[in-house]
Amino acid sequence: MKNQNPTFYEEVRGNGVSRRDFLKFCTTMAAFLGLEASGVAQIAKALQSKPRLPVIWFHFQECTCCSESFIRASHPIVANIVLDKISLDYQETLMAASGFQAEDAYKAVMQKFPGEYIVMVEGSIPTENEAYCCIGGRSALQILREAVQNCKAVVAWGNCASAGCVQAASPNPTGAKPVHKVISGKPVINVQGCPPIADVMAGVVVHLLTFDRIPQLDGLGRPKAFYSRRVHDTCYRRANFDAGLFVESFDDEGAKRGYCLYKMGCKGPVTYNSCGIIKWNDSVSYPIQSGHPCIGCAEAGFWDNGPFYQHLPGVAGFGVETTADKIGVGLGIATAVGIAGHAIVTNIRKHKEIINEPEEGSNVETTKES
Amino acid sequence: MRSRTIPLREVHVWELPVRIYHWINALCIVSLCITGYIIGNPPAFMKGTEAYFNFWFGTVRFIHFVSAFLFFFNFIFRIYWGFTGNEFSRWYNFIPLKRCQWKEILDVIKVDVLQVTSKRIDSIGHNSLASLVYFITFLIFLLQCLTGFGMYGAMSSAFLPRLFGWVVPFLGGDMNVRQIHHLLMWGFILFALVHIYLVFYHDYIERRGVTSSMIGGWKFIEEDVIERHENKTEECPKG
């Protein structure tokens, strides 16, 4: 007889995953989360004993790349987590239900599991005119505010939900805002990236499940386990940076030798993510390993800090190509011209003081000897 | 031979700690601007070699960080000295809270910047405009320390840099912090240009020995100015 409320372990075993593979998965996750050795057992125990995590997964202003990343996780158990373990009672892309049934599904979660369910959000929320994003006749803002009222925590998937991403880039016509700016009173986990790495997403879910509390977050609400180090500081090309070996164009000798992409506009030095460690597609590669500079997709406002292939960003109000250095040199020249002008004027206007002639009636004595 | 005899007195304006502060600060700023510019825009002069044999860019960054620590503690020391030093180095010189300080600022602009009137500015230490500019540079120092240590803190486990952990989230991410840090560098460069020019200018016009005063500490001041300063009948007593 099938358990009414099966645990994750029961489900993956039912899907033909061996216990050995299950434990391998637990070990991988414990390593990703930076847990000590005993953490493996904790994860294994949680996945074997705890019922599924009720989840409502919303899609607002986004491209679904977070879902795409998640379901393309190469580890079969990670994919199982997405599709089976977290009970995706409502997920616009993946659920079978539609129309009223779909609406019913997520309302049922809110009624059945008050204070227990997790709201996961993909996409930003329009605030300029809420009508830019409506589902079932209600705006994204209304839906989200209602859903988070009784939730346990909110997971903001990707740059859209964490920082607004491209929709919030200047001039931001829809007034797009990230989740943490439109709701209050609930913990929000910002899982940054465009999209986030699938294993990072799985890691966050496993953490929620195992420990029943949100992972430790940094100042920008990102899980520290995955976002505490710069891509730059974990980059395998870092030695080239310290040695001063830089690629100067995509077809030069340096690019062939795998030098540092700093001068090609790599945003690794200002981007916090696990790309250099966990990598992508079952740890096959990541952008820098494939010869392309990091575009900083895990940082707020990365679209506005472009161009992607320029190390220094453009300065707002001066045009895209104008960097801080160009403005600085311009001001420096203007200052030098001003100084030269002032020096000339001084020699004319202050002639008397310079040639040492005391003014009429002053008490300065002058002696001239020849 | 041209010469003139005027009643001058030597005044000990800059105490030794102020002078030491000044020159450490100057060295740090030169070092930080040069290394900072290279870090922001490194010359790719090496080709066809392997990373194993070189560390020059790491060394540039190391010099930048060491200079930054020195600059920071030197700056802290100067703030402390603003409360214990002599009257010319006290904090109240730098913040124009009095009406007469604003009047002197206007006077300096008329006399020395625009040169529309001719008048002697009687300040023995900094004049009020210079003081205000130094106050603004102090604010830039502070911002530069905050943004610099903010970026540095993420890769350090030391106590001091960790104190600046809030800066990056406050400013919305490393990208903004780095941009601000880079723009402010130009503030230092422009300040240095004008500062050095004005030292030349004042020595050229006033002949109070302002250049050497930062070496020996003494300035030549007209006797009537000192008398009025001592009797507190000067135009703008700052204490």
Side-chain angles (χ1 to χ4, degrees), chain B residues 20-161:
Chain B
I20 292 175
Y21 156 79
H22 174 271
W23 291 113
I24 291 180
N25 200 38
L27 281 176
C28 284
I29 288 175
V30 169
S31 155
L32 285 164
C33 285
I34 292 173
T35 53
Y37 185 81
I38 293 172
I39 291 167
N41 199 358
F45 57 76
M46 287 206 299
K47 302 231 167 11
T49 174
E50 292 301 322
Y52 179 84
F53 305 104
N54 304 289
F55 196 69
W56 78 262
F57 199 60
T59 307
V60 169
R61 294 175 76 241
F62 177 74
I63 295 169
H64 192 79
F65 300 145
V66 170
S67 308
F69 273 102
L70 191 57
F71 175 82
F72 176 74
F73 286 113
N74 197 40
F75 175 40
I76 298 280
F77 168 76
R78 184 61 184 86
I79 293 170
Y80 160 75
W81 199 255
F83 293 92
T84 52
N86 70 11
E87 57 186 306
F88 306 111
S89 60
R90 289 283 173 127
W91 64 273
Y92 47 69
N93 287 289
F94 297 92
I95 306 170
L97 296 173
K98 290 184 178 177
R99 181 181 280 274
C100 73
Q101 281 172 295
W102 285 103
K103 191 182 166 295
E104 192 176 286
I105 288 173
L106 277 179
D107 281 347
V108 175
I109 290 173
K110 279 190 220 156
V111 174
D112 288 323
V113 182
L114 302 174
Q115 301 185 0
V116 287
T117 53
S118 188
K119 184 188 170 187
R120 191 179 60 187
I121 304 292
D122 282 349
S123 287
I124 298 173
H126 299 305
N127 69 48
S128 291
L129 180 62
S131 301
L132 177 63
V133 171
Y134 291 130
F135 181 60
I136 294 167
T137 61
F138 274 25
L139 295 180
I140 295 177
F141 288 4
L142 179 69
L143 274 175
Q144 201 70 330
C145 289
L146 289 176
T147 52
F149 279 115
M151 287 189 285
Y152 184 83
M155 57 182 179
S156 171
S157 54
F159 172 72
L160 178 74

Side-chain angles (χ1 to χ4, degrees), chain A residues 15 32-33 42 45 55 57 82 89 102 140 189 192-193 206 221 245 270 298 314 336 363:
Chain A
N15 289 346
F32 283 166
L33 289 166
Q42 276 180 288
K45 193 181 165 200
V55 167
W57 186 309
V82 194
D89 299 291
I189 306 166
Q192 267 282 22
V206 168
L245 299 170
V270 288
N363 58 355

Side-chain angles (χ1 to χ4, degrees), chain A residues 230 238 241-243 257 259 262-263 272 311 325 342-343 346-347 349-350 355-356 364-365 367 369, chain B residues 1-6 39-40 42 49-50 57-58 61 111-112 115 151 154 174 178 182 186 197 204:
Chain A
R230 296 181 176 106
R238 177 58 188 263
F241 173 83
D242 287 329
R257 283 174 175 265
Y259 286 174
Y262 187 65
K263 295 189 83 177
Y272 293 80
H311 168 60
D325 284 347
H342 192 268
T346 300
N347 277 294
R349 301 277 303 179
K350 305 253 179 197
I355 59 163
N356 197 4
V364 175
E365 294 167 26
T367 52
E369 292 168 28
Chain B
M1 187 180 80
R2 290 171 68 204
S3 70
R4 73 172 178 166
T5 310
I6 47 169
I39 291 167
T49 174
E50 292 301 322
F57 199 60
R61 294 175 76 241
V111 174
D112 288 323
Q115 301 185 0
M151 287 189 285
D174 267 28
R178 186 175 67 168
H182 200 101
W186 284 100
Y197 168 70
Y204 190 50

